[in-house]
Amino acid sequence: MSDALVIIPTYNEKENIEAILRAVFSLHTDFHVLVVDDGSPDGTQDIVHRLQGEYEHKLFLLPRKGKQGLGTAYLAGFRWALEHHYGFVFEMDADFSHDPKDLEKLYAACRDGGYGMSVGSRYVTGVNVVNWPMSRVLLSYFASRYVRIILGLPVEDTTAGFVCYRREVLEKMNFKKIRFVGYAFQIEMKFITHKLGFKIKEIPVIFTDRTLGKSKMSSGIINEAIFGVLKLKLRSLLNRHQ
């Protein structure tokens, strides 16, 4: 029985899902994978069902009805992971923007380094982003700087979505108090982890924008991240977090 579960949220990822799953299962570490699919009409779930026959007891599917947001998908996955007694739980995109090989580094940081969270960071050693226009790179980079200043969060890449959690971190969180569903969700999870007193380790990775499928990025997501930070700060000052 593996102690490491990779959660991959999906919506219309038929171009990527088989390749990403095979890449994860080809790694030296025995990672299990939970695909949380928000009712993809393109047949993503059918591909996962087919592969479950090949990766029995390693590949799991949590189907949901309709697009409910990235944050709620991960929270559903976290609950599933805790119920099934995994010790290390990962967030990873389906589109190869996160290199599956880097899962090993994130895992080692939490398992051997004693960190509560490890983050696949685009900015801890400069700017490591491929296939993004400069305007998007600058927006993302300075958004992370803004978050660090406002929240006092000791993380360079505050909106990163490539993350490993120790089980103890998720057990101490009150999921019902998590408010954000877009990129601010990633900020909120790091902020809570920091406020709970767990150490966070950033691992340098190269982020490569998707080449297949459609990006889920929108101006609304960016706005949530920017203005959500102010709400997080206010809630923290009022001691309403966790």
Side-chain angles (χ1 to χ4, degrees), residues 137-184:
V137 172
L138 292 173
L139 177 61
S140 175
Y141 178 79
F142 285 109
S144 281
R145 300 299 297 174
Y146 162 78
V147 173
R148 280 176 58 87
I149 293 169
I150 299 297
L151 296 181
L153 185 58
V155 177
E156 292 288 344
D157 194 351
T158 55
T159 61
F162 196 19
V163 180
C164 174
Y165 301 85
R166 292 186 71 92
R167 176 186 181 87
E168 294 85 347
V169 176
L170 298 177
E171 285 178 326
K172 287 192 174 183
M173 288 187 179
N174 184 347
F175 294 154
K176 292 180 180 179
K177 288 191 175 183
I178 295 173
R179 295 290 177 261
F180 298 105
V181 297
Y183 273 24

Side-chain angles (χ1 to χ4, degrees), residues 16-230:
N16 295 301
I17 191 62
E18 180 167 355
I20 197 74
L21 290 173
R22 291 192 182 281
V24 173
F25 291 134
S26 71
L27 297 171
H28 176 73
T29 299
D30 181 26
F31 290 106
H32 288 186
V33 178
L34 173 68
V35 176
V36 183
D37 185 76
D38 275 6
S40 297
D42 71 342
T44 297
Q45 289 190 29
D46 295 334
I47 296 171
V48 176
H49 279 304
R50 172 171 57 81
L51 291 172
Q52 282 183 303
E54 185 174 344
Y55 298 107
E56 190 175 4
H57 308 306
K58 296 181 67 171
L59 174 58
F60 308 94
L61 174 66
L62 182 59
R64 308 200 307 163
K65 293 184 178 180
K67 294 183 70 174
Q68 301 177 45
L70 180 72
T72 64
Y74 275 127
L75 291 178
F78 294 156
R79 292 186 181 97
W80 192 97
L82 293 176
E83 289 170 2
H84 290 80
H85 310 294
Y86 287 93
F88 301 88
V89 184
F90 299 76
E91 299 179 5
M92 189 177 78
D93 290 347
D95 59 9
F96 283 96
S97 56
H98 304 143
D99 186 341
K101 294 177 182 177
D102 289 326
L103 286 168
E104 304 270 15
K105 300 175 187 177
L106 298 181
Y107 184 43
C110 286
R111 182 195 59 201
D112 304 327
Y115 291 92
M117 170 189 281
S118 58
V119 177
S121 177
R122 297 163 290 186
Y123 306 131
V124 72
T125 57
V127 178
N128 296 316
V129 178
V130 177
N131 291 344
W132 268 11
M134 183 56 66
S135 60
R136 187 170 171 186
V137 172
L138 292 173
L139 177 61
S140 175
Y141 178 79
F142 285 109
S144 281
R145 300 299 297 174
Y146 162 78
V147 173
R148 280 176 58 87
I149 293 169
I150 299 297
L151 296 181
L153 185 58
V155 177
E156 292 288 344
D157 194 351
T158 55
T159 61
F162 196 19
V163 180
C164 174
Y165 301 85
R166 292 186 71 92
R167 176 186 181 87
E168 294 85 347
V169 176
L170 298 177
E171 285 178 326
K172 287 192 174 183
M173 288 187 179
N174 184 347
F175 294 154
K176 292 180 180 179
K177 288 191 175 183
I178 295 173
R179 295 290 177 261
F180 298 105
V181 297
Y183 273 24
F185 168 80
Q186 302 294 0
I187 299 169
E188 187 171 13
M189 291 297 289
K190 295 176 185 66
F191 185 57
I192 295 170
T193 300
H194 174 61
K195 294 290 284 185
L196 288 172
F198 289 99
K199 296 189 299 180
I200 301 174
K201 173 70 172 179
E202 287 188 88
I203 305 295
V205 300
I206 296 175
F207 178 94
T208 304
D209 199 20
R210 69 164 61 233
T211 58
L212 296 174
K214 186 177 180 181
S215 174
K216 312 302 190 296
M217 177 66 75
S218 70
S219 60
I221 288 174
I222 294 295
N223 287 336
E224 184 196 59
I226 292 173
F227 294 108
V229 170
L230 297 176

